[in-house]
Amino acid sequence: MNDLILLAALLDGAKHGWVLKKLGGWVTGHGEMHNNLVYPAMKKFVARGWVRRRVEAGQRGQTRAVYSLTGRGNKELFRRLNQFGEKEAASATEFRLRVGLFQVLPSETRKRILDERGRWLAAREERFVELQQKLAAMKPGAWGPEVVDFLIVEVRAERRWIAALAKRSNQLADAGANPKKLGRR
């Protein structure tokens, strides 16, 4: 997942490593990514030809690495974005990252991602409703049902959001809007 986030962060242009750390943290909601995640990944990407690294002078005499996506890296990024099966559908971060990049994905891919996450959420809601019914027999004052009730509300809210995203995506497709061309896919 971190690899995908870092590659996606380079989609709109070259970035310093410290910017990648911040962007990666914002996407995941966990604060800055650690150096031990960002720089080894960048080294691996450079070795695979997905990312270009250049060094430039910093403001205080130090040198700073600047990373940019190559054509091969762009292809790899879109290959990974298009991978969206059960495992990815179960991850809110994997799903949200792709939604955040919907402007560069074709309508068929957006639909498949929304459908897959929707199926996963429907199954999750079904399990929670069954659990809610089983917990209804608990003593008044038990806190377990509170958690399950909240989880059901949360799942239903995301399902409504997915329906709204699907509607918007369909409207864009009907209007003939193409994904923003940020590179070859």
Side-chain angles (χ1 to χ4, degrees):
M1 180 62 196
N2 291 328
D3 285 2
L4 186 59
I5 291 169
L6 293 170
L7 285 172
L10 295 171
L11 194 57
D12 64 344
K15 308 252 181 333
H16 289 100
W18 62 270
V19 172
L20 294 171
K21 286 172 42 174
K22 289 186 182 304
L23 287 173
W26 290 339
V27 168
T28 61
H30 299 297
E32 279 187 18
M33 290 178 93
H34 195 277
N35 286 347
N36 292 342
L37 291 174
V38 175
Y39 294 105
M42 289 297 113
K43 186 175 181 178
K44 176 177 73 172
F45 296 163
V46 169
R48 291 182 178 171
W50 299 344
V51 168
R52 198 172 299 107
R53 180 184 185 271
R54 74 174 196 279
V55 177
E56 64 181 33
Q59 294 177 340
R60 297 177 303 230
Q62 79 281 26
T63 58
R64 295 205 178 266
V66 178
Y67 301 94
S68 58
L69 202 57
T70 65
R72 284 177 60 194
N74 200 30
K75 286 180 184 176
E76 178 63 15
L77 170 63
F78 282 96
R79 184 188 72 75
R80 289 182 179 201
L81 287 173
N82 279 299
Q83 284 181 321
F84 197 81
E86 285 183 45
K87 178 184 169 202
E88 293 81 11
S91 168
T93 304
E94 291 270 5
F95 173 67
R96 291 173 189 155
L97 174 65
R98 285 165 176 82
V99 171
L101 294 170
F102 267 12
Q103 76 274 9
V104 298
L105 295 175
S107 61
E108 318 82 64
T109 302
R110 294 190 305 256
K111 181 180 182 342
R112 188 173 46 78
I113 289 168
L114 293 171
D115 288 348
E116 191 68 38
R117 179 69 175 179
R119 277 189 292 278
W120 183 84
L121 286 169
R124 185 170 173 86
E125 181 179 352
E126 188 176 307
R127 286 190 308 273
F128 287 150
V129 168
E130 288 173 11
L131 183 57
Q132 183 183 47
Q133 291 166 352
K134 290 175 184 174
L135 290 173
M138 292 182 75
K139 297 183 233 176
W143 290 93
E146 288 291 329
V147 174
V148 175
D149 291 349
F150 173 77
L151 292 171
I152 291 170
V153 168
E154 191 176 56
V155 166
R156 288 176 178 165
E158 186 169 344
R159 291 182 75 190
R160 284 190 303 275
W161 180 48
I162 287 173
L165 291 171
K167 182 178 178 182
R168 182 174 174 204
S169 182
N170 290 338
Q171 289 170 340
L172 290 172
D174 291 345
N178 292 325
K180 190 175 177 182
K181 300 290 184 199
L182 290 176
R184 297 172 66 186
R185 283 177 236 122

